[in-house]
Amino acid sequence: MKPSTFTVAVAALSTGVQGATYAVPGTAPAGAALLDPAPVGVSFEFFAFPSYFTNVTGTTQCLQNLQALTGTWPPIRIGGTTQDRADYDPSTSAYVVYSVASAVDAPAILTFGPSFMSLAAKYPGTVVVGLNRGHDNVSNTIAAAKVARSQMQNLLAIELGNEPEYYLGASQPVAVNAGSWTPAVDAASQNNWDILVGSALQAPLIIQAGNSNSAPPTWGAAELIATENATVKSYVHNYAHHNYPGGTVQSLMSHSGIVSDMTMFIPDVAAAQGTGKQYVLGETNSVSGGGAATVSPTFGAGLWTMDYALRASLLNISRTYFHHGTIGACQYCFWGRYDMGAPYYGAYAAAATMAGGSYISALDSGSTAFAVYVVYNSAKTPIKALLYNSNYFNGTGSRTSESFVLTGLAGNTLKAKRLTAVSALSRVDQGQNPSFGGQYFQNVTCSVGGTEAFESAAVSGGQATFSVKASEALLVYLQ
């Protein structure tokens, strides 16, 4: 957050009580995953994107906080259901034009103009723009893509359609006109559009392909890649999938549950890598439809965000874009017009863990409540370890604690930052801010509040013990 101004030694950090022991490798193991410079990204619902950047005070500061950690602006993606309801109108000067009965409704139909792309062009980081395939108007989409290509020096890729498996149920013309709609029919449509748009732009490596939400292998990248010829592949920049695991706070934040949920992506990641392309989670968050009021705004969801982002990177998922939906009706959003969201703390802790790293590995089995991630620098030297106790604490009764014993350590003393809250059910909008290293994020502005505090632990014989309470995490600096 801010430069360290305060350090405290916490006796509970190094208790001498033996718990599970994890040997920190002196060098990154052969299977360590390569880290993207900014693995934690943000997705914005298409129609709401302009408002996030013109009407929400905290947006730029929240993104800049992440940039301050990594040195790279977090990647953003603009898309979602409303990208397939949006048609390009070159004559309008407005970012977007639509009508809704209530301010918290998403529009059923909308148009957008060139200024939409000029606004996106101002963002200092990379941008993926999602465009309409559902309306089956490829000439209109090409017109919009050309404006994006010409105005946006930061354009990373273009999506052609969002979650196409739902097209038929939504009566989208591209599916209705096809006569039937299956993964194979959609793949043929995607491949054709990739070629038409890519060739019209005269731009190789311009398409973010896939973008489905159904659990792989059906509608997955491996299935899609099997249908692609060399021409299609020449236009594909990367492959993407969406994911909303859902569940209760307790099930969502479970480390073993997160590991289990994400195993479904392993074959698709391998298929993408087999073509020399990256694989990303192009849209994801805790619970679909803007989140669940009893789950998504909680600190437990923030711990899920942290563990989920780290696990994705461990699986060679290059970037994870956490979705932000309708302003004022978004339970899982990292921030809004007024209150910060507890999930932002988890995203920040994940970014802090991976910042400056080149590789990541896990020391835990993935089958318990306890996670241990190790991040390595470009020389493959371990620089940080993230310890996570995903046991659920709801604020009542005694709060249990786990001792993590790390061996293979260098030096005499290590410092650490704790991610904590009163309980897994803590919510910022109910007055229970989490903290990371003693600091928090101001409501409305997203500026950092509080004084940064490091805990310290003695290393003896290359070993140190760290105590982490249920529903807490600790970031240990190994250098």
Side-chain angles (χ1 to χ4, degrees):
M1 291 180 179
K2 292 180 178 178
S4 177
T5 56
F6 187 53
T7 301
V8 294
V10 178
L13 187 66
S14 183
T15 63
V17 177
Q18 294 298 301
T21 300
Y22 305 90
V24 178
T27 187
L34 186 66
L35 284 173
D36 190 83
V40 179
V42 177
S43 168
F44 295 98
E45 184 62 39
F46 190 94
F47 87 95
F49 158 71
S51 195
Y52 271 103
F53 280 83
T54 59
N55 295 322
V56 180
T57 302
T59 296
T60 298
Q61 186 62 57
C62 281
L63 293 166
Q64 192 167 25
N65 291 340
L66 299 176
Q67 183 274 337
L69 291 172
T70 66
T72 301
W73 283 85
I76 69 171
R77 171 259 188 177
I78 304 165
T81 301
T82 56
Q83 83 183 60
D84 280 306
R85 301 175 183 176
D87 293 314
Y88 176 61
D89 179 1
S91 67
T92 183
S93 61
Y95 298 125
V96 287
V97 179
Y98 61 86
S99 178
V100 290
S102 167
V104 295
D105 289 343
I109 191 74
L110 65 151
T111 58
F112 63 99
S115 61
F116 187 98
M117 300 306 178
S118 60
L119 179 63
K122 295 178 181 178
Y123 183 64
T126 64
V127 182
V128 173
V129 175
L131 297 177
N132 194 329
R133 183 160 59 95
H135 284 181
D136 205 17
N137 188 344
V138 71
S139 61
N140 185 264
T141 295
I142 287 173
K146 285 182 174 179
V147 175
R149 176 76 170 167
S150 64
Q151 292 193 14
M152 297 175 61
Q153 297 300 310
N154 55 354
L155 181 65
L156 183 67
I158 291 171
E159 287 181 5
L160 297 174
N162 175 80
E163 299 178 1
E165 66 267 47
Y166 306 132
Y167 279 174
L168 195 58
S171 298
Q172 285 285 12
V174 72
V176 174
N177 295 341
S180 65
W181 197 249
T182 64
V185 175
D186 170 62
S189 171
Q190 279 205 53
N191 296 341
N192 183 45
W193 278 59
D194 290 354
I195 293 171
L196 291 172
V197 175
S199 59
L201 298 181
Q202 298 182 326
L205 306 178
I206 193 62
I207 304 298
Q208 179 160 293
N211 311 305
S212 294
N213 185 55
S214 297
T218 304
W219 298 97
E223 187 177 66
L224 177 63
I225 289 167
T227 71
E228 294 176 338
N229 60 27
T231 304
V232 175
K233 290 177 182 176
S234 72
Y235 291 114
V236 173
H237 179 273
N238 63 272
Y239 297 91
H241 207 86
H242 300 177
N243 188 41
Y244 290 87
T248 64
V249 175
Q250 185 172 5
S251 66
L252 182 73
M253 64 180 279
S254 162
H255 176 59
S256 60
I258 290 167
V259 172
S260 177
D261 171 50
M262 300 194 76
T263 56
M264 64 179 166
F265 297 115
I266 293 174
D268 276 3
V269 173
Q273 290 184 321
T275 68
K277 315 287 186 180
Q278 293 180 331
Y279 186 91
V280 306
L281 290 174
E283 180 187 317
T284 190
N285 220 309
S286 54
V287 184
S288 63
T294 58
V295 176
S296 301
T298 67
F299 180 61
L303 291 169
W304 167 81
T305 302
M306 174 200 69
D307 194 10
Y308 183 81
L310 292 169
R311 192 72 192 181
S313 292
L314 182 77
L315 296 179
N316 287 297
I317 296 172
S318 298
R319 292 173 296 283
T320 303
Y321 297 85
F322 290 92
H323 197 51
H324 287 58
T326 306
I327 298 168
C330 187
Q331 300 289 348
Y332 53 48
C333 280
F334 290 172
W335 65 86
R337 285 198 176 100
Y338 307 110
D339 291 326
M340 293 298 302
Y344 182 69
Y345 288 79
Y348 189 91
T353 300
M354 294 185 279
S358 296
Y359 304 91
I360 187 171
S361 70
L363 304 185
D364 64 278
S365 66
S367 60
T368 73
F370 312 115
V372 180
Y373 296 96
V374 179
V375 172
Y376 310 81
N377 62 17
S378 58
K380 298 190 174 182
T381 302
I383 58 172
K384 298 173 193 172
L386 189 284
L387 316 178
Y388 174 39
N389 180 348
S390 73
N391 280 320
Y392 177 67
F393 177 65
N394 66 1
T396 62
S398 60
R399 193 170 190 172
T400 61
S401 183
E402 173 71 5
S403 293
F404 292 76
V405 182
L406 301 185
T407 64
L409 305 176
N412 298 315
T413 305
L414 296 178
K415 64 180 183 178
K417 276 187 172 183
R418 191 173 299 272
L419 177 65
T420 191
V422 172
S423 78
L425 298 180
S426 295
R427 292 172 51 152
V428 174
D429 62 350
Q430 295 178 355
Q432 292 186 327
N433 276 17
S435 64
F436 180 59
Q439 293 184 296
Y440 63 94
F441 300 96
Q442 303 274 7
N443 286 336
V444 181
T445 66
C446 202
S447 57
V448 178
T451 303
E452 185 177 40
F454 287 97
E455 304 175 16
S456 62
V459 178
S460 177
Q463 177 176 305
T465 303
F466 305 89
S467 180
V468 184
K469 293 178 182 178
S471 305
E472 268 192 352
L474 188 72
L475 175 57
V476 180
Y477 294 82
L478 303 176
Q479 297 289 318

